[in-house]
Amino acid sequence: MEDAAPYIAHRPRRADGIRNYDAMLAAARKAFETAGADASLEDIAAQAGVAIGTLYRHFPTRAALVEATTRDGLASLISYADEVRASLPPFEALRSWMGQAIQHFSTFRGLVSILTRSMYDDGTPSHAACAAMHGSGARLLRAAQDAGQVRADLTPDELFDLLTGAAWVRENSPAGPDGSVRFLELILAGVSTRGAGSAESA
């Protein structure tokens, strides 16, 4: 049941609809974290205590359900960019935000691929949120570049590629989250203009 146009699910207003909607989101988050992005929609409906038709009525595509379950995380990531830009020096702000972005991109198995597609496909439900997140990271990058702390030729698209690569490492590395921490430090050492070891001391 894939639609050509993006569908953004909105929380209903009736009390019974709200209960069903919240139950489906809670079940979806748990299922995605356990089984990844390909978790059974039938199982999600069953765990939420609703019929599969009810699930599809609220979320006609898998992408719409993923968008709804990750919407708050993307919004928090955008807000976090504003927070660190106002409170930290440019390089530290970028570094801190990148760490948060990597964690969000790897919330569950398969999410990084979904977000990558959403970033570049305006027909996906998460495209607008991903584009806004991309913009927030780009502003942090420009601030660090303007301060002379990050190489000037690094583009926002390349920054996004680095983040998705680090998220893939976090998702798949036998070392778990520790693997992505090391990977992020290597990325920072590669893009920083502040000298060897600067990422370690940031």
Side-chain angles (χ1 to χ4, degrees), residues 179-197:
S180 67
V181 171
R182 169 67 175 166
F183 197 76
L184 175 58
E185 297 301 337
L186 293 172
I187 290 172
L188 290 167
V191 303
S192 173
T193 61
R194 306 194 309 172

Side-chain angles (χ1 to χ4, degrees), residues 5 21 34 45 59 67 73 81 86 88 94 99 113 117 135 145 148 158 170 193 197:
Y21 184 89
T34 301
F59 311 102
E67 185 278 332
L88 294 175
L94 178 64
S113 296
R117 180 187 173 211
Q145 289 171 325
E158 289 170 336
R170 188 174 193 268
T193 61

Side-chain angles (χ1 to χ4, degrees), residues 126-137:
S126 297
H127 174 73
C130 284
M133 176 274 299
H134 186 279
S136 67

Side-chain angles (χ1 to χ4, degrees), residues 33-53:
E33 289 172 3
T34 301
D38 293 328
S40 166
L41 299 184
E42 288 78 8
D43 289 348
I44 291 172
Q47 288 297 316
V50 302
I52 188 63

Side-chain angles (χ1 to χ4, degrees), residues 13-85:
R13 295 183 178 181
R14 290 179 50 180
D16 56 344
I18 291 172
R19 283 193 297 271
N20 285 342
Y21 184 89
D22 290 347
M24 288 183 288
L25 280 190
R29 289 189 184 101
K30 183 177 180 180
F32 289 150
E33 289 172 3
T34 301
D38 293 328
S40 166
L41 299 184
E42 288 78 8
D43 289 348
I44 291 172
Q47 288 297 316
V50 302
I52 188 63
T54 301
L55 179 74
Y56 278 124
R57 187 163 63 250
H58 287 278
F59 311 102
T61 68
R62 181 181 296 273
L65 182 57
V66 170
E67 185 278 332
T69 62
T70 58
R71 186 184 302 159
D72 289 347
L74 282 172
S76 295
L77 194 54
I78 294 166
S79 297
Y80 188 69
D82 293 334
E83 177 185 328
V84 295
R85 189 169 50 156

Side-chain angles (χ1 to χ4, degrees), residues 105-106 108 110-117 163-165 167-168 171:
F105 289 4
S106 54
F108 55 80
L111 177 58
V112 66
S113 296
I114 292 170
L115 293 177
T116 300
R117 180 187 173 211
L163 292 172
T164 56
W168 186 92
E171 184 180 294

